[in-house]
Amino acid sequence: MTARLIDNFGRQITYARLSVTDRCDFRCVYCMAEEMTFLPKNDILSLEELLQVGTALVNAGISKIRLTGGEPLIRNNVMWLVEQLSQLDGLEELTLTTNGSQLVKYADQLRRFGVKRVNISIDSLQADKFKDITRTGKLQAVLDGIDAAIDAGFEQIKLNSVILKNRNDDEILALVKYASDKNIDIAFIEEMPLGDIVEHDRLLAFCSSDEIRQIIDKEFGLQASDKKTNGPSKYFTLNSNANKNSKTHVGFISPHSNNFCSECNRIRVTVEGRLLLCLGNEHSIDLRALIRDQNADITQLTEAIDKSMAIKPERHYFDLSEQPQIVRFMNMTGG
Ligand code: SAM
Ligand code: SF4
């Protein structure tokens, strides 16, 4: 399909992240405060409204949708939405980012509905540290979820890890080894200043992609790969000391150390129906108001998405010493 959404900087927008809930069964320290106030139920889009938004996105030229949250798999009846979206003409790929806690239950069904790839977040392989970082998570449920995803036969499984200094930076190699043994990919994400947290100082905890890359390179030998996904990751393969038959790619998502805005191909929709044009800026369009107050149909929603290209910012500016620049927590943004 030829891209229809083109912004003022000539970027073709083909990818949308659709948040299906702000709620989560975990409280990861970099993503949420310990005591979170979630949105009133009335403020969040119903599954039918989410389908309307998804349909309009595809009509506007979006060919890939990633469901996210919060934790997408804890939204009641989310599989109905997955099934409906998977049948949209023009949607080439439907994917999901999950913390893995519900995958034992849903992996097979997701695969059956045509989801080919999943991203699963995991920051530690030690039960106590995993609990410390997620506050409420149980490591074994996630490990079982990863195995369920492997058994379900997804074409690609990618682990996502956020590394925090003096917290889980001693597990970088163990996480790579785990991914390599399972023959799945792994990407390391630099922590971003989204939402006001007091649990740790984001500046002190910051671990750059360069530091992580050096640690992995020293042990496993990294070789630049031409692998391209729809995202901003730079990928490498492992040369040695890893499982010889492994096809694991190691990626780095570096919103600080390597600004990737010039290649941005994405937009986001929060579960309140706010179409966000950039992760690090507040420019947005209120799709919920169009649906609920103006009774907008799919054509009108599609037009609104088309018009939003005029306000997509050129880039984000993150500065960890000045938090929070963006008051939205990541669970609100739709990570
Ligand atoms: N609950 C799902 C999960 O954890 O995979 C999906 C939503 S979560 C917000 C999506 C991704 O954002 C996760 O991989 C998480 O590690 C990452 N994330 C959350 N807060 C972040 C932050 N402040 N900086 C960088 N990555 C963050
Ligand atoms: Fe939940 Fe994902 Fe945020 Fe962790 S990163 S609190 S699992 S939404």
Side-chain angles (χ1 to χ4, degrees):
M1 184 199 274
T2 43
R4 275 194 37 216
L5 291 175
I6 299 179
D7 74 359
N8 284 344
F9 306 95
R11 295 171 298 193
Q12 302 194 341
I13 309 304
T14 52
Y15 177 25
R17 293 191 168 216
L18 182 57
S19 176
V20 301
T21 181
D22 61 328
R23 288 157 168 79
C24 188
D25 48 346
F26 293 2
R27 296 283 183 279
C28 300
V29 294
Y30 46 77
C31 177
M32 290 195 183
E34 187 152 23
E35 297 299 327
M36 287 290 286
T37 311
F38 294 107
L39 292 166
K41 287 262 160 61
N42 275 345
D43 287 1
I44 68 172
L45 297 185
S46 66
L47 292 176
E48 289 76 12
E49 289 169 333
L50 283 165
L51 178 59
Q52 270 177 279
V53 169
T55 308
L57 286 168
V58 174
N59 266 1
I62 292 293
S63 55
K64 175 175 171 184
I65 293 180
R66 177 176 293 281
L67 301 182
T68 181
E71 174 46 42
L73 294 180
I74 65 163
R75 172 93 195 233
N76 265 347
N77 212 10
V78 70
M79 284 300 150
W80 175 84
L81 181 66
V82 174
E83 186 177 17
Q84 299 296 317
L85 289 173
S86 70
Q87 292 168 10
L88 288 179
D89 248 1
L91 184 63
E92 288 164 18
E93 201 178 352
L94 180 63
T95 58
L96 181 91
T97 298
T98 172
N99 66 21
S101 68
Q102 310 298 314
L103 275 176
V104 167
K105 188 168 165 198
Y106 289 125
D108 276 339
Q109 215 176 339
L110 285 168
R111 192 68 194 93
R112 264 204 315 282
F113 289 153
V115 175
K116 297 192 192 101
R117 308 196 291 164
V118 284
N119 288 356
I120 308 170
S121 303
I122 183 165
D123 304 323
S124 171
L125 295 167
Q126 298 171 20
D128 52 345
K129 209 183 293 179
F130 185 87
K131 177 87 195 309
D132 173 61
I133 294 174
T134 60
R135 292 197 181 103
T136 57
K138 291 204 173 61
L139 175 65
Q140 195 55 50
V142 174
L143 295 177
D144 291 346
I146 294 170
D147 286 339
I150 294 170
D151 291 345
F154 288 96
E155 285 173 17
Q156 186 190 290
I157 298 171
K158 177 164 69 87
L159 305 180
N160 279 338
S161 301
V162 176
I163 299 296
L164 306 177
K165 273 257 163 69
N166 298 323
R167 198 101 179 223
N168 59 345
D169 54 346
D170 57 341
E171 285 198 69
I172 295 168
L173 294 176
L175 284 161
V176 172
K177 173 91 172 50
Y178 172 78
S180 164
D181 287 347
K182 300 270 176 195
N183 212 355
I184 57 183
D185 294 341
I186 181 164
F188 292 94
I189 311 174
E190 288 179 345
E191 183 178 2
M192 290 173 272
L194 298 172
D196 191 7
I197 56 163
V198 290
E199 199 269 353
H200 63 275
D201 182 329
R202 293 200 201 258
L203 191 58
L204 295 180
F206 182 67
C207 203
S208 75
S209 289
D210 279 348
E211 290 172 73
I212 300 171
R213 186 161 45 223
Q214 277 169 26
I215 290 169
I216 302 171
D217 190 33
K218 209 163 148 212
E219 178 66 17
F220 295 121
L222 286 174
Q223 180 129 29
S225 150
D226 52 11
K227 182 183 172 88
K228 270 264 159 217
T229 59
N230 273 294
S233 279
K234 297 252 176 298
Y235 280 101
F236 296 79
T237 51
L238 302 167
N239 280 336
S240 59
N241 288 343
N243 177 348
K244 288 272 174 302
N245 300 317
S246 168
K247 296 190 177 62
T248 292
H249 284 83
V250 182
F252 298 92
I253 303 174
S254 322
H256 297 273
S257 55
N258 172 22
N259 186 279
F260 42 66
C261 299
S262 63
E263 293 165 32
C264 184
N265 61 352
R266 65 187 56 190
I267 51 181
R268 295 177 154 78
V269 181
T270 72
V271 73
E272 291 168 288
R274 193 172 158 214
L275 171 65
L276 272 174
L277 280 307
C278 173
L279 179 62
N281 284 284
E282 297 291 358
H283 305 64
S284 67
I285 305 265
D286 188 351
L287 298 177
R288 186 186 65 193
L290 289 176
I291 295 173
R292 292 192 185 168
D293 306 341
Q294 296 179 37
N295 219 0
D297 60 14
I298 298 292
T299 309
Q300 289 160 318
L301 285 176
T302 306
E303 279 167 14
I305 296 166
D306 277 333
K307 283 197 191 128
S308 74
M309 288 298 104
I311 59 162
K312 186 166 167 61
E314 185 174 13
R315 55 165 294 171
H316 68 250
Y317 294 91
F318 285 146
D319 181 351
L320 288 173
S321 59
E322 281 179 28
Q323 67 164 307
Q325 289 139 4
I326 296 290
V327 288
R328 273 181 276 119
F329 283 98
M330 189 64 151
N331 71 306
M332 283 301 305
T333 301

